[in-house]
Amino acid sequence: MSSFESDILQKFHQISHSEGNPTTILGEIINTLFTRIGADSGQLSVADEIAGEQTILVSVDESRRLERSEQEKGRAFKGLRKRGVDLTSADGDGGIGETARVPVRLSGKVIGLIEAHNRTGASPFTSQDLALIESAGTVAALLVENVRLEKMRDRSLREISELMEISGILNSSLDTTVIREKAITVITQLLNCEVASLLLVDEQTDELYFEVALGEKGYRVKETRLKRGEGIAGWVAIHNEPLLIDDVKSDPRHSKRFDKRSKFETRNMICVPMVIKQKVVGVLQAINKQGKGTFSQTDLDLFISLSHEVAIAVDNARLYNELREAFYQTAEALADAIEKRDPYTGNHTRRVMHYSMAISRFLDLTDAQMENLRLAAILHDIGKIGVEDSVLRKDSDLDDEEYQKIIRHPEIGVDILGHIKRLEGVIPGIKSHHERIDGKGYPDKIRDGDIPLIARIIAVADTFDAMTTDRPYRAGLTDGEAMEELKRFVGSQFDGKVVKALIQSYEKGFIAKSVD
Ligand SMILES: [Fe+2]
Ligand SMILES: [Fe+2]
């Protein structure tokens, strides 16, 4: 074994025992090599599959000062795979001397290149020098692989944590619009692309439309619709296969109509189907990698995992919404059944719900409070189920005994629904909708802020409807008269803030009297 070979083996030994940074040791190998063969400058470059470009790992300049530049972009080696050991004269560019180019191979595959320049030409490279470069290349390849695997491992770890984070974000909402927006935001950042979009399949028109398109030029693509089968997204929707395209313009599937209409130039793209229960429901696209690069296979793998996450989250949200709708419908059906017993109040429940929601627009309610309000308004008189017909349907004034029976309906409502866990936030609205601000209401005679806000809202909505509805024994008030009445009872019966919200909502046209 030559002293050079034992030198580089020793360097390799160092790295395999974690005695140094692989890039530093690569630099030492190249430096030792160049000294040995009399090269005055040159570099070791490798193909960086992750970044999709050539990277100079080690560069030695003419003064033989060693520089390491991991991120510096190298020139592309076209035809590298075919090239073997190569010596060229540097006469062409005005210098003397020659350049040796030796591919770096790992398991037979070219992964990089060592270039050594001998500018002075004083001692031309010999075949022995070329053999030495090849030996150094073999060791360098192992080190390069070591560095690559480490980078891959780091990236995988980062991706896993990013995916977990996304999973958390997606599962934090049951609103499909929010989920989609969040997913696309994350995709734009993670894949470093100009535009990320989600197209959904419109079964009725057999088209794909943009549900979300984000990124600085996202607004340009949003207006456009694609026929299913048209363009790359259309192809993906039909074939249910992901695509990674480096040069979109030369791809026959590309829809030029799309770029023309959106005035958007699509250069490269990854496009994956979004599948729910074996059916393609949409297509996710990441368009134009930022900078000059293109998307890598790793980007595509990440994108496929993302599309699964998004599909699951969207489907969960859909199921939840269906369930919630079914729940509302059941509640409404129940309320309808009770109203059937009282022909004079027809659709009272629906109107109270409508007025309550209109009032809530001008009050500061959380989403959860809004939902509780909606259900409580639907179910507020559910307790009337326990009040006998003779009392409930009586046209004339109620005597005291009858009155005592009817004022029990909030508590009967609580008795019926109080044990349902899902209605925990709804019960206070049912129980307290007949309480008064001055403490003279029922059933608990609580006052002011002790009365839950949703109950104070329902109280106003309930009374507004009662006053504006015709009864057999009296005509209803006009809306204006009813609002004046509500104002008169602010502070005694009603919360002023809620009455004000009803008037504002009425003036803005949110209270449609056609709700019947
Ligand atoms: Fe009531
Ligand atoms: Fe009512």
Side-chain angles (χ1 to χ4, degrees):
M1 186 188 292
S2 72
S3 67
F4 171 73
E5 279 166 333
S6 66
D7 250 9
I8 58 169
L9 275 178
Q10 198 191 333
K11 303 266 187 257
F12 184 61
H13 181 78
Q14 277 178 5
I15 182 65
S16 60
H17 288 79
S18 307
E19 288 168 19
N21 171 308
T23 317
T24 312
I25 293 172
L26 275 171
E28 284 170 16
I29 288 174
I30 295 300
N31 219 8
T32 312
L33 169 72
F34 282 12
T35 307
R36 178 76 169 73
I37 63 175
D40 49 34
S41 64
Q43 63 195 34
L44 162 67
S45 352
V46 292
D48 185 336
E49 280 173 28
I50 295 174
E53 58 198 17
Q54 303 297 336
T55 303
I56 297 174
L57 274 190
V58 178
S59 161
V60 180
D61 75 5
E62 293 193 24
S63 64
R64 302 294 318 278
R65 191 166 51 83
L66 187 68
E67 288 175 353
R68 287 179 293 276
S69 166
E70 278 188 76
Q71 294 307 318
E72 194 183 336
K73 284 177 194 171
R75 63 185 179 82
F77 317 107
K78 283 196 176 136
L80 181 67
R81 277 159 212 280
K82 290 182 210 138
R83 197 179 297 159
V85 175
D86 177 25
L87 273 176
T88 51
S89 160
D91 286 349
D93 57 9
I96 334 163
E98 55 188 4
T99 298
R101 291 190 185 84
V102 179
V104 174
R105 293 174 204 272
L106 183 75
S107 315
K109 188 183 158 205
V110 176
I111 61 156
L113 182 74
I114 295 176
E115 285 179 290
H117 310 298
N118 172 1
R119 297 256 177 240
T120 63
S123 49
F125 293 129
T126 61
S127 56
Q128 201 193 352
D129 290 337
L130 295 178
L132 286 179
I133 300 177
E134 276 197 305
S135 301
T138 308
V139 174
L142 291 169
L143 289 175
V144 166
E145 180 63 1
N146 187 317
V147 173
R148 193 183 68 83
L149 289 175
E150 240 165 61
K151 275 192 186 167
M152 289 276 282
R153 193 198 59 196
D154 287 352
R155 184 170 162 135
S156 299
L157 285 175
R158 215 172 57 234
E159 272 167 14
I160 290 167
S161 73
E162 275 162 354
L163 272 175
M164 280 169 68
E165 206 177 301
I166 292 162
S167 222
I169 293 172
L170 294 180
N171 289 324
S172 68
S173 176
L174 283 166
D175 180 332
T176 48
T177 318
V178 174
I179 292 170
R180 289 164 185 166
E181 291 255 344
K182 279 180 177 172
I184 301 299
T185 308
V186 170
I187 289 167
T188 315
Q189 287 163 2
L190 213 56
L191 296 182
N192 205 11
C193 57
E194 279 181 13
V195 174
S197 54
L198 167 64
L199 293 101
L200 291 182
V201 174
D202 182 341
E203 292 286 351
Q204 249 128 48
T205 61
D206 208 30
E207 284 177 324
L208 288 168
Y209 64 96
F210 283 89
E211 168 73 15
V212 191
L214 296 181
E216 40 182 316
K217 292 171 184 163
Y219 67 95
R220 289 200 188 162
V221 301
K222 221 174 161 194
E223 300 305 310
T224 318
R225 278 181 161 245
L226 289 169
K227 279 270 156 218
R228 184 147 48 176
E230 181 187 0
I232 291 162
W235 189 93
V236 168
I238 281 189
H239 292 83
N240 191 4
E241 278 173 40
L243 283 178
L244 165 66
I245 302 173
D246 285 344
D247 180 11
V248 169
K249 282 205 197 69
S250 65
D251 192 295
R253 292 167 292 212
H254 176 51
S255 162
K256 295 192 177 56
R257 181 182 79 90
F258 173 73
D259 271 12
K260 209 171 154 191
R261 276 177 52 180
S262 62
K263 295 194 182 62
F264 184 82
E265 191 200 350
T266 310
R267 295 193 309 276
N268 45 59
M269 177 195 290
I270 41 182
C271 195
V272 299
M274 195 170 93
V275 182
I276 294 176
K277 297 188 178 59
Q278 282 101 41
K279 196 163 165 239
V280 179
V281 297
V283 172
L284 279 163
Q285 281 182 323
I287 300 173
N288 293 354
K289 186 92 174 169
Q290 294 274 9
K292 291 203 173 95
T294 51
F295 295 105
S296 63
Q297 182 63 40
T298 322
D299 286 334
L300 180 64
D301 293 344
L302 178 62
F303 206 30
I304 291 169
S305 317
L306 272 173
S307 84
H308 290 154
E309 291 282 343
V310 178
I312 290 167
V314 167
D315 200 36
N316 280 347
R318 187 186 57 78
L319 288 173
Y320 175 79
N321 286 333
E322 272 180 21
L323 206 64
R324 196 177 57 167
E325 271 318 305
F327 186 71
Y328 280 133
Q329 282 164 10
T330 310
E332 280 175 24
L334 199 60
D336 279 351
I338 296 149
E339 286 197 346
K340 290 275 182 299
R341 294 173 56 211
D342 184 356
Y344 307 121
T345 61
N347 270 329
H348 166 71
T349 302
R350 260 172 235 271
R351 287 191 303 268
V352 171
M353 182 190 78
H354 170 69
Y355 301 151
S356 299
M357 299 319 284
I359 292 169
S360 72
R361 282 169 173 262
F362 293 87
L363 296 171
D364 211 12
L365 265 66
T366 62
D367 287 354
Q369 281 177 312
M370 296 271 262
E371 207 165 313
N372 286 335
L373 174 62
R374 186 179 162 195
L375 269 174
I378 293 171
L379 297 168
H380 77 278
D381 279 338
I382 202 83
K384 285 186 177 170
I385 208 165
V387 179
E388 57 212 69
D389 275 3
S390 61
V391 176
L392 198 64
R393 303 177 74 156
K394 193 170 175 188
D395 287 353
S396 49
D397 285 346
L398 301 172
D399 63 29
D400 193 49
E401 195 187 333
E402 288 163 343
Y403 180 72
Q404 291 307 324
K405 281 181 182 162
I406 201 128
I407 68 167
R408 282 214 62 234
H409 77 268
E411 285 171 301
I412 298 172
V414 176
D415 288 347
I416 297 169
L417 301 173
H419 62 281
I420 302 176
K421 183 95 184 103
R422 170 73 180 71
L423 295 178
E424 221 168 37
V426 176
I427 296 300
I430 298 173
K431 189 177 185 195
S432 306
H433 75 276
H434 285 290
E435 297 289 355
R436 294 166 50 117
I437 294 294
D438 59 11
K440 292 180 182 163
Y442 60 87
D444 296 321
K445 301 195 185 320
I446 47 176
R447 57 194 303 157
D448 299 315
D450 289 344
I451 308 167
L453 178 61
I454 60 170
R456 280 177 272 152
I457 296 172
I458 295 169
V460 171
D462 194 21
T463 312
F464 182 71
D465 184 59
M467 288 193 294
T468 53
T469 312
D470 292 336
R471 292 291 160 93
Y473 45 90
R474 61 147 174 85
L477 301 180
T478 65
D479 296 346
E481 287 165 345
M483 282 186 275
E484 284 307 312
E485 279 297 289
L486 290 175
K487 275 201 264 182
R488 272 201 326 126
F489 290 99
V490 163
S492 55
Q493 201 171 341
F494 306 116
D495 179 347
K497 187 172 77 194
V498 177
V499 172
K500 194 174 161 209
L502 177 126
I503 295 168
Q504 279 178 309
S505 199
Y506 190 89
E507 284 166 355
K508 295 270 179 200
F510 294 123
I511 294 186
K513 293 310 294 289
S514 57
V515 177
D516 269 330

